[in-house]
Amino acid sequence: MSTGDDPDPATPARAWVFGDDIDTDQIIPSRFIVSSDPEEIAQHTFEDLRPEFSESVRAGEFVVGGENFGSGSSREQAPLSLLGAGVAGVVAQSFARIFFRNAINLGLPVLISPEAGRIRDGDEIHMELDTGTIVNHTRDERYEAEPLPEFLQSIVERGGLKPYTKAKLNEQ
Amino acid sequence: MTGKTFAEKQLSGKSGRDVHAGDYVEAEIDVAMAHDITGPLAFQTFDEVTGSDGALFAPDRTVFTIDHHAPADGVQAANNHNALREFAAEHGAHQYDVGDGICHQVLVEEGHVGPGDLVVGADSHSTTYGGLGAFGTGVGSTDLGTAMATGDLWFRVPETRRFEVEGDLPEAVYAKDLVLKFIGDVGFAGCTYMAAEYAGSTVAALPLHERFVLANMAIEMGGKAGIVEPDERTARYLEAQTGRAPSTDVDDPALHADPDAEYVDVHTYRAEEIAPQVSTPSNPENAVDVGKVEGTEIDQLFVGTCTNGRFEDMQVVADVLEGEEIAPNVRMVVVPASGAVYQQMLETGVLTTFVDAGAVVQSAGCGPCAGYHQGVLGDSDVCLATANRNFPGREGSMKSSVYLASPATVGASALYGEITDPRRVDTSRYDDVALAKGARS
Protein backbone atom coordinates (compact mmCIF):
# COMPACT_ATOMS: atom_id res chain seq x y z
CA MET A 1 0.00 0.00 0.00
CA SER A 2 0.96 3.58 -0.55
CA THR A 3 3.12 5.19 2.10
CA GLY A 4 1.68 8.56 1.25
CA ASP A 5 4.90 9.73 -0.44
CA ASP A 6 4.60 10.85 -4.04
CA PRO A 7 6.01 7.95 -6.02
CA ASP A 8 8.64 9.08 -8.49
CA PRO A 9 8.64 7.16 -11.80
CA ALA A 10 12.32 8.03 -12.20
CA THR A 11 13.23 5.83 -9.21
CA PRO A 12 13.94 2.18 -10.09
CA ALA A 13 11.47 -0.25 -8.55
CA ARG A 14 9.76 -3.55 -9.10
CA ALA A 15 7.52 -4.19 -12.15
CA TRP A 16 4.26 -6.11 -11.78
CA VAL A 17 3.69 -7.66 -15.19
CA PHE A 18 0.24 -8.49 -16.54
CA GLY A 19 -0.83 -9.86 -19.93
CA ASP A 20 -2.95 -8.59 -22.81
CA ASP A 21 -6.50 -7.23 -22.58
CA ILE A 22 -6.44 -6.49 -18.85
CA ASP A 23 -9.86 -4.87 -18.54
CA THR A 24 -11.08 -2.42 -15.95
CA ASP A 25 -13.18 -5.12 -14.22
CA GLN A 26 -9.94 -6.98 -13.54
CA ILE A 27 -8.11 -3.87 -12.36
CA ILE A 28 -10.85 -2.98 -9.89
CA PRO A 29 -13.84 -5.35 -9.75
CA SER A 30 -17.29 -3.75 -10.07
CA ARG A 31 -18.34 -4.71 -6.57
CA PHE A 32 -15.85 -2.24 -5.08
CA ILE A 33 -16.40 0.83 -7.26
CA VAL A 34 -19.34 2.03 -5.25
CA SER A 35 -16.50 3.90 -3.54
CA SER A 36 -14.21 6.38 -5.25
CA ASP A 37 -11.81 6.82 -2.34
CA PRO A 38 -8.32 5.98 -3.72
CA GLU A 39 -7.02 4.39 -0.48
CA GLU A 40 -10.16 2.32 0.01
CA ILE A 41 -10.41 0.94 -3.52
CA ALA A 42 -6.63 0.36 -3.62
CA GLN A 43 -7.18 -2.47 -1.12
CA HIS A 44 -8.98 -4.37 -3.88
CA THR A 45 -6.80 -3.59 -6.92
CA PHE A 46 -6.39 -6.71 -9.09
CA GLU A 47 -8.09 -8.65 -6.28
CA ASP A 48 -9.53 -11.40 -8.48
CA LEU A 49 -6.61 -11.55 -10.90
CA ARG A 50 -3.68 -11.34 -8.48
CA PRO A 51 -4.94 -11.36 -4.91
CA GLU A 52 -1.48 -10.72 -3.43
CA PHE A 53 -1.10 -7.40 -5.28
CA SER A 54 -2.72 -4.98 -2.85
CA GLU A 55 -0.92 -6.52 0.15
CA SER A 56 2.50 -6.66 -1.45
CA VAL A 57 2.75 -3.64 -3.76
CA ARG A 58 5.04 -0.88 -2.46
CA ALA A 59 4.81 2.80 -3.27
CA GLY A 60 6.85 3.62 -6.35
CA GLU A 61 6.44 0.24 -8.08
CA PHE A 62 5.22 -0.14 -11.65
CA VAL A 63 2.43 -1.94 -13.48
CA VAL A 64 3.28 -3.36 -16.90
CA GLY A 65 0.57 -4.44 -19.31
CA GLY A 66 0.59 -6.11 -22.71
CA GLU A 67 -1.76 -5.00 -25.48
CA ASN A 68 -4.97 -3.07 -24.77
CA PHE A 69 -4.41 -2.40 -21.08
CA GLY A 70 -7.45 -0.89 -19.34
CA SER A 71 -10.10 -1.94 -21.84
CA GLY A 72 -13.79 -1.90 -21.01
CA SER A 73 -15.41 0.47 -18.57
CA SER A 74 -14.92 4.23 -18.26
CA ARG A 75 -14.65 3.86 -14.47
CA GLU A 76 -11.98 6.23 -13.27
CA GLN A 77 -11.64 4.00 -10.22
CA ALA A 78 -9.27 1.88 -12.34
CA PRO A 79 -6.39 4.39 -12.61
CA LEU A 80 -7.44 5.88 -9.25
CA SER A 81 -6.97 2.53 -7.49
CA LEU A 82 -3.47 2.27 -8.98
CA LEU A 83 -2.69 5.76 -7.67
CA GLY A 84 -4.13 4.77 -4.30
CA ALA A 85 -1.85 1.74 -4.26
CA GLY A 86 1.13 4.04 -4.83
CA VAL A 87 1.89 2.80 -8.34
CA ALA A 88 4.43 5.18 -9.93
CA GLY A 89 3.47 4.53 -13.52
CA VAL A 90 2.04 2.12 -16.06
CA VAL A 91 3.87 0.83 -19.12
CA ALA A 92 2.02 -1.13 -21.81
CA GLN A 93 2.31 -2.17 -25.43
CA SER A 94 -0.99 -0.37 -25.98
CA PHE A 95 -3.77 1.14 -23.88
CA ALA A 96 -7.54 1.27 -24.24
CA ARG A 97 -8.55 4.83 -25.06
CA ILE A 98 -10.60 5.80 -22.01
CA PHE A 99 -8.12 4.33 -19.51
CA PHE A 100 -5.25 6.20 -21.19
CA ARG A 101 -7.26 9.43 -21.10
CA ASN A 102 -8.26 8.96 -17.45
CA ALA A 103 -4.67 8.24 -16.44
CA ILE A 104 -3.41 11.44 -18.13
CA ASN A 105 -6.22 13.44 -16.57
CA LEU A 106 -5.38 12.13 -13.09
CA GLY A 107 -1.64 12.56 -13.51
CA LEU A 108 -0.79 8.82 -13.47
CA PRO A 109 2.26 8.50 -15.75
CA VAL A 110 1.63 6.15 -18.70
CA LEU A 111 4.01 5.16 -21.48
CA ILE A 112 3.26 3.14 -24.61
CA SER A 113 6.12 0.93 -25.76
CA PRO A 114 6.02 -2.00 -28.19
CA GLU A 115 8.97 -3.40 -26.24
CA ALA A 116 7.08 -3.54 -22.95
CA GLY A 117 6.68 -7.28 -23.54
CA ARG A 118 10.39 -7.74 -22.74
CA ILE A 119 9.83 -6.76 -19.11
CA ARG A 120 9.42 -9.79 -16.83
CA ASP A 121 7.57 -9.88 -13.53
CA GLY A 122 9.83 -8.63 -10.75
CA ASP A 123 12.27 -6.74 -13.02
CA GLU A 124 13.57 -3.44 -11.64
CA ILE A 125 12.58 -0.62 -14.02
CA HIS A 126 12.10 3.12 -14.12
CA MET A 127 10.45 5.62 -16.48
CA GLU A 128 12.11 8.70 -18.00
CA LEU A 129 9.07 10.74 -18.90
CA ASP A 130 10.91 13.61 -20.61
CA THR A 131 12.69 11.35 -23.07
CA GLY A 132 9.96 8.72 -23.21
CA THR A 133 12.32 5.94 -22.20
CA ILE A 134 11.87 2.91 -19.98
CA VAL A 135 15.00 1.54 -18.36
CA ASN A 136 15.14 -2.13 -17.31
CA HIS A 137 17.90 -2.43 -14.69
CA THR A 138 17.50 -6.18 -14.26
CA ARG A 139 18.15 -6.85 -17.98
CA ASP A 140 20.28 -3.78 -18.64
CA GLU A 141 17.97 -2.71 -21.48
CA ARG A 142 16.35 0.56 -22.59
CA TYR A 143 13.01 0.71 -24.41
CA GLU A 144 11.79 3.61 -26.51
CA ALA A 145 8.24 4.72 -25.79
CA GLU A 146 5.96 6.77 -28.02
CA PRO A 147 6.39 10.45 -27.15
CA LEU A 148 3.30 12.05 -25.69
CA PRO A 149 1.63 14.41 -28.20
CA GLU A 150 2.29 18.11 -27.54
CA PHE A 151 -1.28 18.84 -26.49
CA LEU A 152 -1.29 16.09 -23.86
CA GLN A 153 2.16 17.15 -22.74
CA SER A 154 0.72 20.58 -21.96
CA ILE A 155 -1.98 18.99 -19.77
CA VAL A 156 0.56 16.79 -17.99
CA GLU A 157 2.91 19.76 -17.47
CA ARG A 158 0.10 21.61 -15.72
CA GLY A 159 -0.36 18.61 -13.42
CA GLY A 160 -3.41 17.00 -15.04
CA LEU A 161 -6.78 18.07 -16.34
CA LYS A 162 -8.03 19.75 -13.16
CA PRO A 163 -5.22 22.34 -12.89
CA TYR A 164 -5.38 22.76 -16.69
CA THR A 165 -9.12 23.50 -16.51
CA LYS A 166 -8.78 25.78 -13.50
CA ALA A 167 -6.20 27.83 -15.40
CA LYS A 168 -8.49 27.91 -18.43
CA LEU A 169 -11.47 29.09 -16.35
CA ASN A 170 -9.33 31.81 -14.75
CA GLU A 171 -8.33 33.11 -18.17
CA GLN A 172 -11.99 33.55 -19.16
CA MET B 1 -7.68 17.59 -49.77
CA THR B 2 -9.73 14.47 -49.31
CA GLY B 3 -13.24 14.52 -47.93
CA LYS B 4 -14.14 13.99 -44.31
CA THR B 5 -15.52 11.16 -42.28
CA PHE B 6 -18.49 11.72 -39.97
CA ALA B 7 -16.13 12.07 -36.99
CA GLU B 8 -13.94 14.63 -38.77
CA LYS B 9 -17.00 16.70 -39.69
CA GLN B 10 -18.43 16.55 -36.19
CA LEU B 11 -15.22 17.58 -34.45
CA SER B 12 -14.55 20.27 -37.07
CA GLY B 13 -18.00 21.71 -36.45
CA LYS B 14 -17.73 21.56 -32.67
CA SER B 15 -14.22 23.01 -32.52
CA GLY B 16 -14.70 25.65 -35.21
CA ARG B 17 -11.60 24.41 -37.01
CA ASP B 18 -11.00 22.40 -40.15
CA VAL B 19 -9.59 19.24 -38.60
CA HIS B 20 -8.67 15.76 -39.72
CA ALA B 21 -7.81 12.49 -38.02
CA GLY B 22 -4.86 12.85 -35.67
CA ASP B 23 -5.49 16.51 -34.82
CA TYR B 24 -6.15 17.54 -31.22
CA VAL B 25 -9.09 19.87 -30.60
CA GLU B 26 -11.05 21.45 -27.82
CA ALA B 27 -14.65 20.91 -28.85
CA GLU B 28 -17.95 22.23 -27.53
CA ILE B 29 -20.13 19.71 -25.73
CA ASP B 30 -23.89 19.52 -26.32
CA VAL B 31 -24.83 17.02 -23.60
CA ALA B 32 -23.03 15.77 -20.48
CA MET B 33 -24.16 12.65 -18.61
CA ALA B 34 -23.13 10.78 -15.46
CA HIS B 35 -24.68 8.02 -13.37
CA ASP B 36 -24.53 6.76 -9.80
CA ILE B 37 -21.08 5.16 -10.18
CA THR B 38 -19.34 7.98 -12.04
CA GLY B 39 -21.31 11.01 -10.83
CA PRO B 40 -19.95 11.50 -7.29
CA LEU B 41 -16.34 11.61 -8.51
CA ALA B 42 -17.31 14.00 -11.33
CA PHE B 43 -18.91 16.32 -8.75
CA GLN B 44 -15.65 16.41 -6.77
CA THR B 45 -13.84 17.50 -9.92
CA PHE B 46 -16.53 20.03 -10.78
CA ASP B 47 -16.37 21.59 -7.30
CA GLU B 48 -12.60 21.63 -7.37
CA VAL B 49 -12.26 23.39 -10.73
CA THR B 50 -15.11 25.86 -10.27
CA GLY B 51 -14.75 26.68 -6.59
CA SER B 52 -17.70 26.68 -4.21
CA ASP B 53 -20.08 28.70 -6.40
CA GLY B 54 -19.65 26.76 -9.64
CA ALA B 55 -22.35 26.73 -12.29
CA LEU B 56 -23.01 24.07 -14.89
CA PHE B 57 -22.21 25.08 -18.47
CA ALA B 58 -25.81 24.21 -19.37
CA PRO B 59 -28.06 22.74 -16.65
CA ASP B 60 -30.74 21.75 -19.20
CA ARG B 61 -28.14 19.70 -21.08
CA THR B 62 -26.63 18.01 -18.05
CA VAL B 63 -28.28 14.70 -17.19
CA PHE B 64 -27.81 12.30 -14.27
CA THR B 65 -29.26 8.83 -13.90
CA ILE B 66 -29.48 6.32 -11.07
CA ASP B 67 -29.21 3.00 -12.83
CA HIS B 68 -26.17 0.92 -11.83
CA HIS B 69 -27.21 0.20 -8.23
CA ALA B 70 -30.93 0.87 -8.63
CA PRO B 71 -32.61 0.39 -6.21
CA ALA B 72 -29.72 0.84 -3.78
CA ASP B 73 -28.18 -2.45 -2.71
CA GLY B 74 -26.21 -0.99 0.19
CA VAL B 75 -25.65 2.11 2.27
CA GLN B 76 -22.78 3.43 0.15
CA ALA B 77 -24.87 3.11 -3.04
CA ALA B 78 -27.76 4.88 -1.31
CA ASN B 79 -25.43 7.69 -0.25
CA ASN B 80 -24.18 8.01 -3.83
CA HIS B 81 -27.80 8.28 -5.00
CA ASN B 82 -28.43 11.06 -2.52
CA ALA B 83 -25.29 12.85 -3.70
CA LEU B 84 -26.69 12.83 -7.24
CA ARG B 85 -30.10 14.07 -6.14
CA GLU B 86 -28.60 16.88 -4.09
CA PHE B 87 -26.18 17.99 -6.79
CA ALA B 88 -28.87 17.92 -9.49
CA ALA B 89 -31.29 19.91 -7.34
CA GLU B 90 -28.66 22.47 -6.40
CA HIS B 91 -27.45 23.00 -9.97
CA GLY B 92 -30.71 22.52 -11.86
CA ALA B 93 -29.64 19.48 -13.87
CA HIS B 94 -31.96 16.72 -15.13
CA GLN B 95 -32.15 13.89 -12.63
CA TYR B 96 -33.61 10.48 -13.40
CA ASP B 97 -34.20 8.34 -10.36
CA VAL B 98 -34.50 4.69 -9.36
CA GLY B 99 -36.67 2.82 -11.85
CA ASP B 100 -36.40 5.37 -14.66
CA GLY B 101 -33.83 3.23 -16.41
CA ILE B 102 -30.34 2.98 -17.89
CA CYS B 103 -28.69 6.25 -18.84
CA HIS B 104 -28.28 5.47 -22.55
CA GLN B 105 -31.88 4.36 -22.99
CA VAL B 106 -33.29 7.25 -20.97
CA LEU B 107 -31.29 9.86 -22.90
CA VAL B 108 -32.53 8.68 -26.30
CA GLU B 109 -36.09 7.99 -25.12
CA GLU B 110 -36.50 11.36 -23.48
CA GLY B 111 -35.10 13.33 -26.39
CA HIS B 112 -31.93 14.61 -24.70
CA VAL B 113 -29.85 13.70 -27.77
CA GLY B 114 -30.29 14.60 -31.43
CA PRO B 115 -28.36 14.13 -34.68
CA GLY B 116 -25.09 16.05 -34.76
CA ASP B 117 -24.84 16.42 -30.99
CA LEU B 118 -21.51 15.91 -29.26
CA VAL B 119 -22.36 13.88 -26.18
CA VAL B 120 -19.93 12.95 -23.44
CA GLY B 121 -21.07 10.39 -20.92
CA ALA B 122 -19.19 9.06 -17.94
CA ASP B 123 -19.94 5.52 -19.07
CA SER B 124 -18.13 3.64 -21.80
CA HIS B 125 -21.34 2.71 -23.64
CA SER B 126 -22.02 6.38 -24.41
CA THR B 127 -21.19 5.38 -27.98
CA THR B 128 -24.90 4.36 -28.09
CA TYR B 129 -25.90 7.90 -29.13
CA GLY B 130 -24.22 7.28 -32.49
CA GLY B 131 -27.36 5.33 -33.36
CA LEU B 132 -29.08 8.72 -33.71
CA GLY B 133 -26.27 10.23 -35.76
CA ALA B 134 -24.74 11.93 -32.74
CA PHE B 135 -21.07 11.73 -31.76
CA GLY B 136 -21.30 9.99 -28.41
CA THR B 137 -18.24 8.97 -26.47
CA GLY B 138 -17.40 7.60 -23.04
CA VAL B 139 -15.12 9.50 -20.68
CA GLY B 140 -14.03 9.30 -17.08
CA SER B 141 -15.29 11.33 -14.16
CA THR B 142 -12.52 13.94 -14.27
CA ASP B 143 -13.24 14.58 -17.94
CA LEU B 144 -16.94 14.84 -17.22
CA GLY B 145 -16.54 17.07 -14.18
CA THR B 146 -14.49 19.57 -16.18
CA ALA B 147 -16.84 19.38 -19.19
CA MET B 148 -19.77 20.13 -16.86
CA ALA B 149 -17.94 23.29 -15.82
CA THR B 150 -16.56 24.55 -19.13
CA GLY B 151 -18.84 23.03 -21.78
CA ASP B 152 -15.88 21.80 -23.75
CA LEU B 153 -13.33 19.02 -23.68
CA TRP B 154 -10.19 17.92 -25.48
CA PHE B 155 -10.36 15.26 -28.16
CA ARG B 156 -8.04 13.62 -30.58
CA VAL B 157 -9.88 13.44 -33.91
CA PRO B 158 -10.17 9.71 -34.53
CA GLU B 159 -9.44 7.70 -37.63
CA THR B 160 -12.46 5.74 -38.84
CA ARG B 161 -13.11 2.11 -39.73
CA ARG B 162 -16.17 1.56 -41.87
CA PHE B 163 -18.46 -1.48 -41.78
CA GLU B 164 -20.75 -1.79 -44.81
CA VAL B 165 -23.51 -4.38 -44.94
CA GLU B 166 -25.70 -4.96 -48.00
CA GLY B 167 -28.81 -7.09 -48.41
CA ASP B 168 -31.61 -8.46 -46.23
CA LEU B 169 -30.88 -9.94 -42.83
CA PRO B 170 -31.96 -13.58 -42.62
CA GLU B 171 -34.69 -14.67 -40.24
CA ALA B 172 -33.63 -14.62 -36.57
CA VAL B 173 -30.54 -12.50 -37.35
CA TYR B 174 -30.35 -9.07 -35.77
CA ALA B 175 -28.07 -6.08 -35.34
CA LYS B 176 -26.56 -7.86 -32.32
CA ASP B 177 -25.37 -10.66 -34.58
CA LEU B 178 -23.90 -8.12 -37.01
CA VAL B 179 -21.94 -6.27 -34.38
CA LEU B 180 -20.67 -9.44 -32.70
CA LYS B 181 -19.47 -10.51 -36.16
CA PHE B 182 -17.68 -7.15 -36.66
CA ILE B 183 -16.01 -7.41 -33.24
CA GLY B 184 -14.98 -10.98 -33.97
CA ASP B 185 -13.41 -9.86 -37.25
CA VAL B 186 -11.45 -6.80 -36.11
CA GLY B 187 -10.86 -7.91 -32.52
CA PHE B 188 -11.41 -6.47 -29.08
CA ALA B 189 -8.93 -3.65 -29.75
CA GLY B 190 -9.67 -3.35 -33.47
CA CYS B 191 -11.09 0.17 -33.31
CA THR B 192 -9.01 1.55 -30.43
CA TYR B 193 -8.68 5.35 -30.75
CA MET B 194 -10.99 5.12 -33.82
CA ALA B 195 -14.59 5.71 -34.75
CA ALA B 196 -16.67 2.96 -36.37
CA GLU B 197 -19.05 4.00 -39.17
CA TYR B 198 -21.84 1.54 -39.95
CA ALA B 199 -23.37 1.84 -43.42
CA GLY B 200 -24.92 0.02 -46.36
CA SER B 201 -28.48 -0.92 -47.30
CA THR B 202 -28.85 -3.36 -44.38
CA VAL B 203 -27.94 -0.71 -41.82
CA ALA B 204 -30.17 1.86 -43.55
CA ALA B 205 -33.09 -0.57 -43.21
CA LEU B 206 -32.54 -1.07 -39.46
CA PRO B 207 -35.01 0.55 -37.09
CA LEU B 208 -33.51 2.80 -34.44
CA HIS B 209 -33.62 0.26 -31.62
CA GLU B 210 -31.36 -1.96 -33.73
CA ARG B 211 -29.03 0.90 -34.71
CA PHE B 212 -28.45 1.60 -31.02
CA VAL B 213 -27.10 -1.94 -30.66
CA LEU B 214 -24.44 -1.35 -33.33
CA ALA B 215 -23.42 1.98 -31.82
CA ASN B 216 -23.50 0.66 -28.24
CA MET B 217 -21.02 -2.13 -28.90
CA ALA B 218 -18.49 0.00 -30.82
CA ILE B 219 -16.66 0.27 -27.48
CA GLU B 220 -16.30 -3.53 -27.47
CA MET B 221 -13.78 -3.10 -30.28
CA GLY B 222 -12.20 -0.17 -28.47
CA GLY B 223 -14.11 2.45 -30.49
CA LYS B 224 -14.32 6.07 -29.45
CA ALA B 225 -17.66 6.38 -31.25
CA GLY B 226 -19.98 4.20 -33.34
CA ILE B 227 -21.93 6.00 -36.01
CA VAL B 228 -25.06 5.34 -38.02
CA GLU B 229 -25.72 8.47 -40.08
CA PRO B 230 -29.14 10.01 -39.48
CA ASP B 231 -31.97 9.69 -42.00
CA GLU B 232 -35.76 9.81 -42.26
CA ARG B 233 -36.06 6.87 -39.83
CA THR B 234 -34.04 8.88 -37.31
CA ALA B 235 -36.34 11.86 -37.72
CA ARG B 236 -39.45 9.67 -37.36
CA TYR B 237 -38.03 8.03 -34.23
CA LEU B 238 -37.32 11.39 -32.61
CA GLU B 239 -40.76 12.72 -33.49
CA ALA B 240 -42.39 9.62 -32.03
CA GLN B 241 -40.34 9.91 -28.82
CA THR B 242 -40.43 13.65 -28.28
CA GLY B 243 -43.42 14.86 -30.29
CA ARG B 244 -41.26 17.22 -32.31
CA ALA B 245 -39.02 17.12 -35.35
CA PRO B 246 -35.26 16.97 -34.75
CA SER B 247 -33.64 20.38 -34.39
CA THR B 248 -31.16 19.48 -37.12
CA ASP B 249 -32.04 18.56 -40.71
CA VAL B 250 -31.08 14.88 -41.00
CA ASP B 251 -30.02 15.46 -44.62
CA ASP B 252 -27.55 18.19 -43.67
CA PRO B 253 -24.23 17.28 -45.35
CA ALA B 254 -22.50 18.07 -42.05
CA LEU B 255 -24.10 14.87 -40.68
CA HIS B 256 -22.90 12.67 -43.50
CA ALA B 257 -19.43 11.45 -44.44
CA ASP B 258 -18.09 12.62 -47.78
CA PRO B 259 -17.91 9.94 -50.50
CA ASP B 260 -14.15 10.53 -50.75
CA ALA B 261 -13.53 10.41 -47.00
CA GLU B 262 -10.41 8.55 -45.97
CA TYR B 263 -10.87 5.39 -43.89
CA VAL B 264 -8.44 3.09 -42.15
CA ASP B 265 -10.25 0.37 -44.08
CA VAL B 266 -13.71 -0.71 -45.15
CA HIS B 267 -15.11 -4.09 -44.12
CA THR B 268 -17.91 -5.31 -46.38
CA TYR B 269 -20.51 -7.96 -45.60
CA ARG B 270 -23.50 -9.63 -47.26
CA ALA B 271 -26.35 -9.78 -44.76
CA GLU B 272 -27.56 -13.11 -46.15
CA GLU B 273 -24.29 -14.73 -45.10
CA ILE B 274 -24.54 -13.75 -41.42
CA ALA B 275 -25.63 -16.48 -38.99
CA PRO B 276 -26.78 -15.83 -35.42
CA GLN B 277 -23.63 -15.17 -33.38
CA VAL B 278 -22.55 -16.12 -29.87
CA SER B 279 -19.50 -14.66 -28.13
CA THR B 280 -17.92 -17.27 -25.91
CA PRO B 281 -16.19 -16.47 -22.60
CA SER B 282 -14.39 -14.30 -21.77
CA ASN B 283 -14.19 -11.67 -24.50
CA PRO B 284 -16.75 -10.22 -26.92
CA GLU B 285 -14.30 -10.85 -29.77
CA ASN B 286 -14.82 -14.62 -29.38
CA ALA B 287 -17.80 -14.50 -31.74
CA VAL B 288 -18.77 -17.75 -33.46
CA ASP B 289 -21.76 -18.97 -35.47
CA VAL B 290 -24.29 -20.29 -32.98
CA GLY B 291 -23.95 -23.80 -34.46
CA LYS B 292 -20.45 -24.06 -32.98
CA VAL B 293 -21.72 -23.79 -29.41
CA GLU B 294 -25.18 -25.32 -29.69
CA GLY B 295 -25.92 -27.64 -26.80
CA THR B 296 -23.75 -25.75 -24.30
CA GLU B 297 -25.51 -26.11 -20.96
CA ILE B 298 -26.50 -22.91 -19.22
CA ASP B 299 -27.71 -21.99 -15.75
CA GLN B 300 -28.91 -18.42 -16.18
CA LEU B 301 -30.39 -16.35 -18.98
CA PHE B 302 -30.22 -12.58 -18.74
CA VAL B 303 -32.37 -10.35 -20.93
CA GLY B 304 -31.64 -6.66 -20.49
CA THR B 305 -28.85 -4.00 -20.52
CA CYS B 306 -28.22 -0.89 -22.61
CA THR B 307 -27.47 -3.18 -25.54
CA ASN B 308 -30.62 -5.28 -25.71
CA GLY B 309 -33.04 -4.33 -22.94
CA ARG B 310 -35.48 -2.40 -25.15
CA PHE B 311 -39.13 -3.24 -25.62
CA GLU B 312 -38.55 -4.79 -29.04
CA ASP B 313 -35.93 -7.10 -27.49
CA MET B 314 -38.36 -8.10 -24.76
CA GLN B 315 -40.99 -8.78 -27.42
CA VAL B 316 -38.64 -11.03 -29.41
CA VAL B 317 -38.05 -13.18 -26.33
CA ALA B 318 -41.71 -13.10 -25.29
CA ASP B 319 -42.82 -14.25 -28.75
CA VAL B 320 -40.66 -17.33 -28.34
CA LEU B 321 -41.80 -17.97 -24.74
CA GLU B 322 -45.51 -17.36 -25.39
CA GLY B 323 -47.48 -20.26 -23.92
CA GLU B 324 -44.26 -22.09 -22.99
CA GLU B 325 -42.19 -22.48 -19.86
CA ILE B 326 -38.48 -21.96 -19.61
CA ALA B 327 -36.53 -25.21 -19.24
CA PRO B 328 -36.43 -26.50 -15.66
CA ASN B 329 -32.63 -26.40 -15.43
CA VAL B 330 -32.37 -22.67 -16.09
CA ARG B 331 -33.41 -19.42 -14.44
CA MET B 332 -34.19 -16.30 -16.44
CA VAL B 333 -33.54 -12.77 -15.22
CA VAL B 334 -35.30 -10.01 -17.15
CA VAL B 335 -34.45 -6.34 -16.56
CA PRO B 336 -36.12 -3.68 -18.74
CA ALA B 337 -33.76 -0.91 -19.90
CA SER B 338 -36.17 1.80 -18.76
CA GLY B 339 -39.36 2.48 -16.89
CA ALA B 340 -41.03 3.21 -20.23
CA VAL B 341 -39.99 -0.22 -21.49
CA TYR B 342 -41.42 -1.76 -18.30
CA GLN B 343 -44.67 0.12 -18.83
CA GLN B 344 -44.91 -1.08 -22.43
CA MET B 345 -44.26 -4.67 -21.32
CA LEU B 346 -47.11 -4.31 -18.86
CA GLU B 347 -49.54 -2.84 -21.38
CA THR B 348 -48.83 -5.38 -24.12
CA GLY B 349 -48.90 -8.51 -21.98
CA VAL B 350 -45.19 -9.20 -22.52
CA LEU B 351 -44.69 -9.02 -18.75
CA THR B 352 -47.34 -11.68 -18.20
CA THR B 353 -45.72 -13.93 -20.79
CA PHE B 354 -42.40 -13.70 -18.95
CA VAL B 355 -43.91 -14.35 -15.55
CA ASP B 356 -46.03 -17.24 -16.85
CA ALA B 357 -42.93 -18.76 -18.44
CA GLY B 358 -41.15 -18.70 -15.09
CA ALA B 359 -38.87 -15.70 -15.53
CA VAL B 360 -37.93 -13.20 -12.82
CA VAL B 361 -38.71 -9.66 -13.99
CA GLN B 362 -36.93 -6.89 -12.10
CA SER B 363 -37.20 -3.11 -12.02
CA ALA B 364 -35.55 -1.09 -14.78
CA GLY B 365 -31.80 -0.52 -14.60
CA CYS B 366 -28.48 -2.16 -15.36
CA GLY B 367 -29.33 -5.30 -13.36
CA PRO B 368 -26.55 -7.90 -13.03
CA CYS B 369 -24.69 -6.72 -16.17
CA ALA B 370 -21.62 -5.58 -14.25
CA GLY B 371 -21.97 -8.01 -11.38
CA TYR B 372 -23.37 -5.59 -8.83
CA HIS B 373 -26.64 -7.25 -7.83
CA GLN B 374 -29.92 -8.80 -8.98
CA GLY B 375 -28.54 -12.02 -10.46
CA VAL B 376 -24.81 -12.25 -9.70
CA LEU B 377 -23.19 -15.50 -10.90
CA GLY B 378 -21.55 -18.11 -8.66
CA ASP B 379 -18.42 -20.13 -9.35
CA SER B 380 -19.81 -22.79 -11.66
CA ASP B 381 -22.52 -20.67 -13.28
CA VAL B 382 -22.86 -20.31 -17.04
CA CYS B 383 -24.94 -17.39 -18.28
CA LEU B 384 -26.27 -16.55 -21.72
CA ALA B 385 -26.91 -12.81 -21.84
CA THR B 386 -28.14 -10.14 -24.23
CA ALA B 387 -25.43 -7.94 -22.67
CA ASN B 388 -22.35 -6.38 -24.24
CA ARG B 389 -19.52 -7.76 -22.11
CA ASN B 390 -18.39 -11.18 -20.94
CA PHE B 391 -15.05 -10.34 -19.32
CA PRO B 392 -13.76 -12.67 -16.60
CA GLY B 393 -15.91 -12.11 -13.52
CA ARG B 394 -18.08 -9.54 -15.27
CA GLU B 395 -21.34 -10.80 -13.80
CA GLY B 396 -19.92 -12.27 -10.60
CA SER B 397 -17.41 -15.03 -9.87
CA MET B 398 -14.15 -15.11 -11.85
CA LYS B 399 -14.93 -18.80 -12.34
CA SER B 400 -18.35 -18.15 -13.91
CA SER B 401 -18.84 -17.90 -17.67
CA VAL B 402 -20.86 -15.48 -19.75
CA TYR B 403 -21.89 -16.01 -23.38
CA LEU B 404 -23.31 -13.08 -25.38
CA ALA B 405 -26.08 -13.37 -27.96
CA SER B 406 -29.16 -11.70 -29.43
CA PRO B 407 -32.53 -11.77 -27.67
CA ALA B 408 -33.76 -14.35 -30.22
CA THR B 409 -30.92 -16.72 -29.36
CA VAL B 410 -31.46 -16.18 -25.63
CA GLY B 411 -35.20 -16.82 -26.03
CA ALA B 412 -34.70 -20.04 -28.02
CA SER B 413 -32.08 -21.21 -25.52
CA ALA B 414 -34.49 -20.62 -22.64
CA LEU B 415 -36.87 -23.20 -24.12
CA TYR B 416 -34.22 -25.91 -24.25
CA GLY B 417 -31.98 -24.99 -21.32
CA GLU B 418 -28.92 -25.00 -23.55
CA ILE B 419 -27.54 -22.72 -26.25
CA THR B 420 -29.93 -23.13 -29.15
CA ASP B 421 -29.95 -21.83 -32.72
CA PRO B 422 -32.96 -19.48 -32.87
CA ARG B 423 -33.64 -20.72 -36.40
CA ARG B 424 -34.59 -24.10 -34.90
CA VAL B 425 -37.54 -22.56 -33.13
CA ASP B 426 -40.91 -22.78 -34.92
CA THR B 427 -40.67 -19.92 -37.40
CA SER B 428 -44.29 -18.82 -36.95
CA ARG B 429 -43.17 -17.50 -33.56
CA TYR B 430 -41.25 -14.79 -35.34
CA ASP B 431 -44.30 -13.33 -37.12
CA ASP B 432 -44.84 -10.79 -34.41
CA VAL B 433 -41.13 -10.09 -34.30
CA ALA B 434 -41.06 -9.07 -37.96
CA LEU B 435 -43.99 -6.77 -37.23
CA ALA B 436 -42.14 -5.25 -34.31
CA LYS B 437 -39.12 -4.59 -36.51
CA GLY B 438 -41.16 -2.48 -38.92
CA ALA B 439 -43.75 -0.99 -36.64
CA ARG B 440 -41.51 1.13 -34.43
CA SER B 441 -39.22 2.40 -37.13
Side-chain angles (χ1 to χ4, degrees), chain B residues 164-169 178 199-206 269-272:
Chain B
E164 289 183 357
V165 196
E166 300 290 343
D168 297 327
L169 283 174
L178 281 179
S201 64
T202 313
V203 174
L206 289 176
Y269 297 85
R270 290 295 315 173
E272 295 83 0

Side-chain angles (χ1 to χ4, degrees), chain B residues 46-55 90-91:
Chain B
F46 177 85
D47 289 342
E48 205 175 309
V49 297
T50 60
S52 54
D53 56 348
E90 187 184 339
H91 294 275

Side-chain angles (χ1 to χ4, degrees), chain B residues 196-221:
Chain B
E197 274 183 21
Y198 305 109
S201 64
T202 313
V203 174
L206 289 176
L208 266 290
H209 67 266
E210 291 272 81
R211 295 181 184 186
F212 292 136
V213 179
L214 297 182
N216 175 277
M217 289 195 73
I219 182 66
E220 258 56 70
M221 35 192 173

